Amino acid sequence: MSNTPRPQFLPTPCPPDSPIPPLIFTSTSPIGDQKIEEAIPVIQCPADFPLSIFEEAAMLLVNHPEYNSTLILRSELIATYTSPPFPPSTPQIKGYEPTKAYYRKLLPRRPTRDASLEQLCTLYTKSPDPHELEDMKTQGSEDDPLYTTPTLLVLTPLPSPSTPLPYYHPQVSQISFHLHPPSSPTLLISLLPLPPTSQNDQDPTNPSSRLHRTSLSLLQTLHRYLHGTLTSYKKRTAHDLLIPRDEYQDLYGVMRERHKGLVEEWREVTDPLKHVFEDIGIATYLMLLWKDTFPPEGEEQEEKLEEEPWKKWGRPPGGFLDLGCGNALLTHILLSEGYKGYGIDVRARKSWDGYPESTRERLVVGGVDPLALVGSCEDASRSCEDTPSPSSSDQNQINTILNTPQMFLIANHADELTPWVPVLSTLMDSSGYISIPCCAWAFDERFTRGRGADEFFEEPSSLQTKDARELQRPNEQSLSSFITSLSLGSEGSSSSSYSSYRIWLAGLSGWCGWVVECDNLRIPSTRNWAVVGRKKLPTPPEQTLERAKSIILQTKERGLFRVRKPEGKAGEH
């Protein structure tokens, strides 16, 4: 990637005496009347970029309108035109020829509030006038990029008859983005506003108007895209690695509507908007992950499946277990949607009393002791008194749950239990797990780089990833490839403690026999990286089981691990 510094964004209103001629749009009515409209140049900025990158940068606007408006979910491409004939709705512009057109639909983030909108996105190249054409032939410059490279993008909304444009779209009939070459390269936006009405009386040349502010935002976005294209910018954080974006967004919209009322019912002191929608997002992700991982369930009634298609989707054969479930909102949402499972935490929360009985009976108070899965207290260097004891009924239920085969483990910011998730998954014959780490814990102490955390298992540089090669110590390039495959985002190396911790966790997953898969979830949290185990490596099961047991035995020998004690009135639930 180039280290070219980003040029300063210096927008100015388009002056009335600008040397750049305004765009002239022509159209013909069904009865043959010709209409000529002159676009209003609104705002411009210097843009010393090569013409050849305009199309690539403009396609980011076409493909990702959601980057510039939080009210837009995404766009769906309906048709692509790369040569004539172009659609009848293609604008005719004096001095320009259409070269490509993309017919798309804009999908709103809140479909109950805003309507979708079809839109035509057209790329144009400049057409030489007769004198320019003659000069080009004389000079042998017919391939001049000024006349062969798209430098103009026009967005044309196509609302249904008598239907107003949705709020998220400017009240215009055309939006144009123009990279004007070459002596004084300028990027500018021009508009064809709709006729003024009582709801639409904005002057785009007025800096305080919504049209002007929208134009400024779009200009800055395209200016940024041009620089990114020039420097081969690549997003630091990759999303949708395991679950397609469109599937996730569509289901999330449904889940949000079904569970948004939980915000009003929130009983904790924490921010309900963050926690409710974060857990709705994680539940959505899990539902689609399980659909992709496990075979479909038996058929439900057809009319019910139309409203709730996930009722027949695949799900973990042994249900799920939410370790350190906290407010149990994630557990509640999954249970409400027909998934079987449990939530365990060292104390009950205020929220628990507000859930229906069907959820409360699936919430268990107590600590999870990984060391109890191998041997007994007498075999350990610690005494039994060190292990807190919740009520015997709760402890019996915890033991029963932990002995359920094919259960899927969920660890969302599970703190001390985070490193134990792949180990427990191997020992329990789990159907898989997802871990979204936050605080960095090793097996019996805080994780610290270079402090012997790897003494329990081979360091990540010796582990295989998805390619399922035989275990061997690869060279440094292999380690680099392993780290790259983890999608660590802007901290994509071992330079930070959190990155080192995630690399360590991924290495541990492979050591315990799981194919390492990672993703960055679309949730409102800075700690949105997840490691997923749902497929087994070809390593013999007895070998990975022995490794998991070895980690437990070594932890016992150190004698430092303590199960977190139930807090407050936890034992009374």
Side-chain angles (χ1 to χ4, degrees):
M1 180 183 295
S2 170
N3 291 322
T4 305
R6 179 186 298 178
Q8 190 174 0
F9 177 62
L10 301 171
T12 57
C14 294
D17 57 348
S18 171
I20 303 174
L23 297 174
I24 306 297
F25 288 80
T26 61
S27 59
T28 304
S29 69
I31 60 174
D33 293 337
Q34 191 176 59
K35 183 179 182 180
I36 300 176
E37 296 179 282
E38 184 176 295
I40 300 176
V42 177
I43 195 164
Q44 65 184 31
C45 69
D48 190 11
F49 300 107
L51 302 180
S52 57
I53 69 171
F54 177 82
E55 180 177 359
E56 184 177 347
M59 287 307 297
L60 289 171
L61 285 175
V62 173
N63 293 328
H64 296 287
E66 71 276 10
Y67 290 172
N68 214 62
S69 173
T70 59
L71 301 179
I72 297 176
L73 180 65
R74 65 174 185 272
S75 68
E76 288 185 348
L77 186 63
I78 299 174
T80 300
Y81 304 87
T82 56
S83 61
F86 291 100
S89 53
T90 303
Q92 302 302 309
I93 304 175
K94 183 180 179 180
Y96 290 87
E97 289 292 331
T99 57
K100 294 179 183 177
Y102 302 89
Y103 194 74
R104 70 179 182 179
K105 175 184 280 190
L106 300 176
L107 301 180
R109 188 169 297 276
R110 302 294 295 274
T112 57
R113 182 180 61 188
D114 298 314
S116 59
L117 175 67
E118 294 182 359
Q119 191 182 62
L120 186 66
C121 311
T122 312
L123 286 165
Y124 296 80
T125 56
K126 184 174 175 57
S127 302
D129 61 35
H131 295 293
E132 291 172 329
L133 185 59
E134 188 64 32
D135 291 341
M136 290 167 60
K137 290 180 179 179
T138 302
Q139 300 171 11
S141 57
E142 289 92 339
D143 295 332
D144 187 337
L146 179 61
Y147 302 101
T148 59
T149 303
T151 57
L152 174 65
L153 171 68
V154 177
L155 307 182
T156 306
L158 303 172
S160 302
S162 70
T163 302
L165 288 172
Y167 178 80
Y168 57 78
H169 193 284
Q171 298 299 302
V172 297
S173 60
Q174 312 285 354
I175 308 174
S176 66
F177 304 81
H178 188 193
L179 182 58
H180 191 271
S183 57
S184 180
T186 302
L187 183 67
L188 71 153
I189 287 183
S190 302
L191 304 177
L192 275 181
L194 292 174
T197 65
S198 57
Q199 290 79 30
N200 170 37
D201 58 357
Q202 300 185 69
D203 176 7
T205 61
N206 181 353
S208 63
S209 70
R210 180 171 173 241
L211 277 180
H212 190 94
R213 297 195 308 271
T214 300
S215 299
L216 174 61
S217 176
L218 290 170
L219 183 72
Q220 185 173 21
T221 297
L222 183 54
H223 185 270
R224 185 174 69 251
Y225 287 168
L226 285 164
H227 174 73
T229 302
L230 180 66
T231 57
S232 301
Y233 170 79
K234 184 179 180 181
K235 282 185 65 177
R236 294 178 177 180
T237 302
H239 295 84
D240 317 308
L241 300 174
L242 304 182
I243 303 300
R245 180 194 68 165
D246 293 3
E247 284 189 41
Y248 174 83
Q249 289 181 334
D250 290 344
L251 182 60
Y252 177 80
V254 174
M255 290 296 114
R256 179 188 176 105
E257 289 302 311
R258 289 170 69 91
H259 298 287
K260 64 183 181 182
L262 292 168
V263 172
E264 303 299 326
E265 301 169 7
W266 193 247
R267 298 189 174 202
E268 308 291 340
V269 296
T270 50
D271 180 10
L273 292 177
K274 177 187 185 300
H275 288 278
V276 170
F277 295 119
E278 178 177 325
D279 284 352
I280 291 175
I282 296 173
T284 300
Y285 189 90
L286 284 169
M287 292 165 68
L288 291 169
L289 183 73
W290 293 338
K291 175 189 176 186
D292 185 58
T293 305
F294 304 107
E297 293 282 291
E299 293 295 326
E300 294 275 346
Q301 296 178 0
E302 285 302 320
E303 61 271 17
K304 193 171 185 179
L305 288 178
E306 291 183 5
E307 298 179 359
E308 302 174 340
W310 52 88
K311 296 295 184 183
K312 70 173 183 180
W313 291 355
R315 55 199 61 216
F320 69 86
L321 173 59
D322 188 357
L323 294 167
C325 64
N327 56 51
L329 183 57
L330 176 59
T331 303
H332 169 65
I333 293 172
L334 292 172
L335 291 171
S336 300
E337 298 302 344
Y339 294 85
K340 296 179 180 179
Y342 293 91
I344 294 179
D345 205 287
V346 292
R347 69 179 176 91
R349 308 298 173 90
K350 294 178 182 179
S351 300
W352 291 21
D353 290 331
Y355 297 135
E357 179 64 26
S358 57
T359 294
R360 294 200 305 272
E361 66 184 12
R362 292 281 177 160
L363 302 178
V364 185
V365 175
V368 175
D369 184 2
L371 307 194
L373 294 180
V374 176
S376 62
C377 283
E378 288 76 20
D379 297 327
S381 58
R382 59 187 184 140
S383 68
C384 290
E385 285 75 21
D386 291 331
T387 305
S389 298
S391 67
S392 59
S393 59
D394 280 343
Q395 189 58 59
N396 290 337
Q397 190 176 12
I398 291 174
N399 293 338
T400 300
I401 293 171
L402 293 178
N403 282 285
T404 303
Q406 294 298 291
M407 178 170 275
F408 191 97
L409 301 187
I410 302 170
N412 177 27
H413 299 183
D415 295 342
E416 299 98 322
L417 288 178
T418 298
W420 289 104
V421 174
V423 180
L424 290 172
S425 298
T426 297
L427 291 171
M428 295 169 55
D429 188 26
S430 169
S431 59
Y433 69 90
I434 185 171
S435 179
I436 309 171
C438 182
C439 300
W441 281 88
F443 298 110
D444 55 11
E445 63 181 350
R446 289 279 189 173
F447 175 86
T448 305
R449 288 184 292 174
R451 193 173 165 183
D454 291 342
E455 66 186 56
F456 295 91
F457 68 98
E458 300 243 0
E459 66 270 23
S461 60
S462 67
L463 296 175
Q464 58 184 337
T465 53
K466 292 183 188 178
D467 55 7
R469 294 172 295 181
E470 289 299 318
L471 281 171
Q472 58 182 339
R473 181 175 297 278
N475 55 30
E476 285 301 314
Q477 182 58 43
S478 297
L479 174 58
S480 175
S481 298
F482 176 81
I483 294 175
T484 300
S485 73
L486 304 182
S487 303
L488 300 177
S490 58
E491 298 177 341
S493 68
S494 57
S495 58
S496 75
S497 178
Y498 184 56
S499 282
S500 296
Y501 183 54
R502 290 181 288 168
I503 295 169
W504 182 80
L505 287 177
L508 173 62
S509 297
W511 182 248
C512 291
W514 297 95
V515 172
V516 178
E517 295 182 288
C518 302
D519 207 345
N520 291 281
L521 277 56
R522 293 180 177 272
I523 57 175
S525 173
T526 56
R527 293 293 192 249
N528 64 339
W529 181 87
V531 56
V532 174
R534 54 176 176 158
K535 305 172 186 176
K536 294 294 184 66
L537 292 167
T539 312
E542 58 273 14
Q543 185 176 349
T544 55
L545 184 61
E546 192 59 36
R547 289 173 178 171
K549 290 180 179 179
S550 176
I551 289 174
I552 285 183
L553 293 175
Q554 290 181 69
T555 305
K556 285 184 175 183
E557 290 174 0
R558 283 164 58 98
L560 300 177
F561 180 81
R562 296 291 184 273
V563 180
R564 184 184 288 191
K565 296 182 178 181
E567 305 169 15
K569 299 182 179 180
E572 298 178 9
H573 274 258

